[in-house]
Amino acid sequence: MNKRPGHVEVFVETGYCSFCDRVRNLRREEHHLGTLVRTVLTCETCHRTLSSTMGVAPAETEAPANEAAADAAEVPAAAKPQPAKRAAASKARPAAPKTKAAKSRTTKPK
């Protein structure tokens, strides 16, 4: 199943901007429109669009999700990490409340 319509994936990669004539961070946005994908490549420095293309969205496979579920089922309960205990968090020192002097203005208003 493809991504829902209107979903946008953003990737930042390093590349050459022909407007800046330098190596810059380039922003690639993939707008999922049903079975189509609009890919827009822009420079993050000069905000110019370097390319804009339309293509067919790649079909997603459900095999990796099923393999991950199968791998999780094989791990014994003793090997799973235990959640952190709250006692360690309660030992942390609470922040000291600000005194009235710290809240007051230090300079005289004009």
Side-chain angles (χ1 to χ4, degrees), residues 89-107:
S90 65
K91 290 180 183 178
R93 193 174 194 186
K98 292 184 178 181
T99 62
K100 188 167 182 134
K103 293 181 185 178
S104 65
R105 222 180 269 185
T106 57
T107 59

Side-chain angles (χ1 to χ4, degrees), residues 48-83:
R48 301 249 183 130
T49 301
L50 302 175
S51 71
S52 177
T53 58
M54 286 288 287
V56 178
E60 294 182 14
T61 59
E62 298 203 17
N66 292 339
E67 290 175 11
D71 291 340
E74 293 175 8
V75 176
K80 291 184 180 178
Q82 299 296 323

Side-chain angles (χ1 to χ4, degrees), residues 23-43:
V23 176
R24 300 285 191 189
N25 285 338
L26 303 180
R27 179 183 184 94
R28 182 170 44 112
E29 298 177 0
E30 293 181 353
H31 299 261
H32 293 272
L33 309 165
T35 58
L36 298 175
V37 175
R38 175 182 297 272
T39 304
V40 180
L41 185 67
T42 57
C43 176

